[in-house]
Amino acid sequence: MIRTREELRAFLNNERKLYIKGGFLRELVLILLQDSDYLIWSYVKSLRYTEYNFNNNNRFRYFFHQRRKNIKGIRLGISIYHNSIDQGLKIHHYGNIIVNKNAKIGKNCELHGDNCIGNKGDFDKYSAPIIGDNLDFGVGAVALGNIKLGNNITVGANAVVIKDCTDNQATLAGIPARIIKQGVR
């Protein structure tokens, strides 16, 4: 959770490097072209400002940044609730990315597009995945329900994770997902 200006700056500096490779001129070119990297970076930046203002009870600024994030999210097909993903969020492709407000994801999360991390749609609307650091979520991958995933997990394309995997350095694939590889990613 981002509480101080220094933490906000650290988050933004770290994540900017994931999307904008190069200096000011490179960023200007990406802005003029409305490149996907710039558009996703703009969404992530709005997400972090929303988190900062929510955590510091700046109601007007929170409302402003939340609205801005939602507008950008509608255009890109991304819906990530604030305070659900730690530092190092990298979204490779926009379109159909949903992270439930009760989900908790650690540092260095990579989402490749068409992902859902949320509840199963049952009566317990508060049950959502808790995921460790260094998650790599393949295209179309889904994690549903009150599950826990450990650190250094790779979820293959179109996998549906509905059971816990507390093993570190595991690769999951299939429907329902199961461990297909353990050890170094």
Side-chain angles (χ1 to χ4, degrees):
M1 290 183 15
I2 303 171
R3 295 235 183 248
T4 66
R5 278 246 187 238
E6 291 76 29
E7 288 175 347
L8 176 63
R9 243 179 262 124
F11 270 66
L12 293 176
N13 288 336
N14 181 353
E15 289 172 343
R16 182 184 184 280
K17 293 173 189 171
L18 298 174
Y19 297 97
I20 310 295
K21 309 275 196 257
F24 173 75
L25 289 176
R26 176 70 178 144
E27 185 170 5
L28 183 61
V29 168
L30 295 177
I31 291 169
L32 292 173
L33 295 174
Q34 289 294 287
D35 187 79
S36 62
D37 282 341
Y38 171 75
L39 295 173
I40 295 169
W41 160 239
S42 179
Y43 176 83
V44 171
K45 188 164 54 169
S46 293
L47 172 68
R48 298 313 184 186
Y49 275 105
T50 300
E51 290 174 359
Y52 171 74
N53 289 300
F54 177 79
N55 294 336
N56 288 297
N57 291 322
N58 298 330
R59 293 188 193 278
F60 178 75
R61 289 181 182 163
Y62 164 71
F63 175 79
F64 174 77
H65 287 289
Q66 176 72 8
R67 183 174 187 283
R68 196 177 207 183
K69 176 186 76 88
N70 289 343
I71 290 170
K72 291 175 184 179
I74 289 168
R75 289 184 188 147
L76 298 174
I78 301 172
S79 177
I80 300 174
Y81 203 78
H82 51 275
N83 292 326
S84 59
I85 300 179
D86 205 344
Q87 187 173 358
L89 171 62
K90 173 66 172 160
I91 300 172
H92 291 277
H93 309 285
Y94 54 81
N96 296 334
I97 296 176
I98 299 169
V99 177
N100 186 291
K101 69 179 182 178
N102 297 310
K104 296 298 176 207
I105 303 171
K107 294 181 179 182
N108 305 320
C109 172
E110 290 189 42
L111 302 174
H112 290 271
D114 204 19
N115 304 123
C116 179
I117 300 172
N119 62 17
K120 290 183 180 179
D122 53 9
F123 295 109
D124 187 8
K125 64 181 181 181
Y126 299 108
S127 65
I130 297 173
I131 302 171
D133 297 338
N134 305 317
L135 170 71
D136 190 355
F137 225 61
V139 175
V142 176
L144 301 172
N146 191 21
I147 60 172
K148 290 181 175 59
L149 298 178
N151 296 326
N152 305 309
I153 299 287
T154 300
V155 180
N158 296 316
V160 178
V161 184
I162 56 174
K163 294 182 181 173
D164 292 350
C165 178
T166 55
D167 295 348
N168 286 334
Q169 298 179 338
T171 302
L172 305 174
I175 303 173
R178 59 184 170 74
I179 297 174
I180 61 166
K181 182 179 175 185
Q182 286 182 311
V184 179
R185 274 178 27 161

